[in-house]
């Protein structure tokens, strides 16, 4: 099993966000992403197959660091831990959810979109966050503005990010990685074209420093 670095944000420049329609596709998909240089994989809890997909990747793809996204309740935290998730991501946070994620013992990225939310998390000792929805919430200009007064906060922006704007995000001092789905096009998954997904993942893995 691949080791978790000191920071979830340092695993790879891009965190693929997988919407699992069929758990049977999860293992070859994860293998393609890992082979392309993207070992951290967020499986979003937006589909009924999500927890089965986490379970399958955790059991069968030892080089993957599989996590669960769209975690919004303490019950989901418990289910994700049981399924073998190694990190948790939420689109937003409350004190109750934050306590549950912290109690899980797993690395977690609570979602923020305002300065007040960032300050509130820093007050609670959390320095790594998801910035969501990134483009809609102000994009790189917003994050650049936060870097001055709040340099201790680091972000994984997600939402509206693709190969065209990812390098600009990755060039910011307070961005550790970005999240996105562009390396997992729906038509490639439907066709089970894992070779294409691996190639797109390799391109994504090479984005840091190209902007």
């Amino acid at each position: 099993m691949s080791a978790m670095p000191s920071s979830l944000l340092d695993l790879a420049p891009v965190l693929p966000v997988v919407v699992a329609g069929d758990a049977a596709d999860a293992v070859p998909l994860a293998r393609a992403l890992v082979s392309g240089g993207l070992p951290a994989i967020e499986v979003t809890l937006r589909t009924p197959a999500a927890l089965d997909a986490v379970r399958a990747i955790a059991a069968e793809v030892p080089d993957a660091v599989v996590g669960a996204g769209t975690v919004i309740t303490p019950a989901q935290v418990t289910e994700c831990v049981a399924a073998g998730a190694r990190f948790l991501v939420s689109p937003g946070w409350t004190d109750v959810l934050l306590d549950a994620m912290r109690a899980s013992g797993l690395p977690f990225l609570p979602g923020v979109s305002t300065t007040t939310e960032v300050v509130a998390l820093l007050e609670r000792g959390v320095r790594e966050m998801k910035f969501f929805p990134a483009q809609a919430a102000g994009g790189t200009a917003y994050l650049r503005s936060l870097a001055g007064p709040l340099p201790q906060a680091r972000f994984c922006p997600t939402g509206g990010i693709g190969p065209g704007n990812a390098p600009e995000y990755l060039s910011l001092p307070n961005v550790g990685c970005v999240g996105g789905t562009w390396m997992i096009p729906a038509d490639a998954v439907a066709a089970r074209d894992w070779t294409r997904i691996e190639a797109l993942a390799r391109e994504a893995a090479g984005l840091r420093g190209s902007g």
Side-chain angles (χ1 to χ4, degrees):
M1 181 179 285
S2 63
M4 179 71 79
S6 59
S7 168
L8 178 58
L9 300 184
D10 295 332
L11 273 168
V14 178
L15 177 63
V17 180
V18 174
V19 181
D22 184 346
D25 290 335
V27 168
L29 173 57
R31 285 179 177 146
L33 292 170
V34 172
S35 294
L38 301 179
I41 300 169
E42 174 190 335
V43 178
T44 175
L45 299 185
R46 297 180 199 173
T47 66
L51 286 172
D52 285 339
V54 170
R55 230 174 258 116
I57 295 169
E60 299 182 47
V61 192
D63 290 335
V65 179
V66 63
T70 322
V71 177
I72 57 173
T73 68
Q76 288 178 327
V77 171
T78 302
E79 291 172 341
C80 293
V81 172
R86 295 176 63 192
F87 63 90
L88 305 169
V89 184
S90 70
W93 66 276
T94 65
D95 285 324
V96 171
L97 179 59
L98 194 68
D99 288 346
M101 290 195 293
R102 200 190 296 271
S104 74
L106 298 179
F108 59 91
L109 295 174
V112 298
S113 60
T114 69
T115 307
T116 298
E117 291 169 326
V118 175
V119 172
L121 284 177
L122 291 173
E123 188 176 80
R124 289 160 174 78
V126 179
R127 295 190 170 196
E128 298 191 344
M129 314 165 195
K130 170 177 175 168
F131 179 56
F132 176 84
Q135 281 292 96
T140 54
Y142 193 96
L143 287 171
R144 193 176 289 112
S145 297
L146 289 181
L150 302 171
Q152 64 272 53
R154 293 182 77 214
F155 301 95
C156 172
T158 305
I161 297 176
N165 60 2
E168 185 181 358
Y169 278 95
L170 290 168
S171 71
L172 299 177
N174 55 351
V175 170
C177 65
V178 299
T181 60
W182 75 86
M183 75 301 298
I184 316 167
D187 60 336
V189 176
R192 294 180 168 81
D193 189 349
W194 312 125
T195 301
R196 180 180 167 205
I197 290 173
E198 180 180 340
L200 290 169
R202 187 167 289 111
E203 289 175 10
L207 282 176
R208 185 180 298 284
S210 64

